[in-house]
Amino acid sequence: MSNNDLESLSVNTIRTLCMDTLQAADSGRPGTPMGIAPVAYTLWQRFPRFDPADPIRPNRDRFVLWQGHASVLLWSLLHLAGVQAVDPDHEALGRPAVTPDDLRTFRQLGSLLRAPGVPVDQRRAALIRHYRTLKD
């Protein structure tokens, strides 16, 4: 498989995961995640100083998206990158921050991913811990 084929497969995987998540939720618009998936893939693959196994390390880069329309993209990237969950004391929990079940229950009653905006739950990856929606 060539590098271009792998990149195309990766971008299409991100797009498909976003589409499936939104379809299951019966909520949200796929346009933003579909349109910026190639940009998000490139940013996550080539530029950040970030270790998914240690999401709270000092001097890490953060990836921030506007609330709402692109939140499913952020959740999908966290899942696909294998970012580990952390507890409120910033200790790694040894499990993924976003699981397939989290994505299946996106924006559903009782789901940790029900918020329309950027994730704020500290048990999720510290990569995004400091950011909230403008409505907070």
Side-chain angles (χ1 to χ4, degrees):
M1 180 177 284
S2 73
N3 195 33
N4 284 343
D5 290 341
L6 183 59
E7 287 184 0
S8 291
L9 177 63
S10 299
V11 168
N12 287 333
T13 299
I14 294 167
R15 287 175 167 157
T16 302
L17 186 56
C18 290
M19 286 186 304
D20 289 349
T21 300
L22 292 173
Q23 183 68 32
D26 196 24
S27 174
R29 296 184 180 102
T32 301
M34 298 288 290
I36 65 172
V39 174
Y41 171 79
T42 300
L43 288 173
W44 274 62
Q45 276 300 111
R46 298 188 182 157
F47 298 105
R49 291 175 307 210
F50 177 73
D51 179 3
D54 185 15
I56 56 170
R57 85 170 175 85
N59 200 30
R60 67 195 176 276
D61 287 338
R62 277 102 167 150
F63 184 78
V64 181
L65 294 173
W66 192 254
Q67 67 172 341
H69 297 302
S71 64
V72 71
L73 178 64
L74 182 55
W75 289 116
S76 296
L77 290 170
L78 291 170
H79 169 67
L80 292 170
V83 175
Q84 295 296 296
V86 296
D87 66 18
D89 295 325
H90 307 293
E91 298 294 326
L93 298 175
R95 62 175 172 76
V98 179
T99 67
D101 285 336
D102 292 331
L103 293 173
R104 277 191 282 278
T105 59
F106 178 75
R107 291 188 175 164
Q108 303 300 311
L109 187 62
S111 170
L112 290 174
L113 307 186
R114 71 183 176 278
V118 180
V120 295
D121 187 343
Q122 285 191 352
R123 292 169 291 176
R124 300 290 164 183
L127 167 74
I128 48 169
R129 179 174 59 81
H130 299 294
Y131 302 99
R132 298 180 185 269
T133 64
L134 292 177
K135 294 178 183 175
D136 286 351

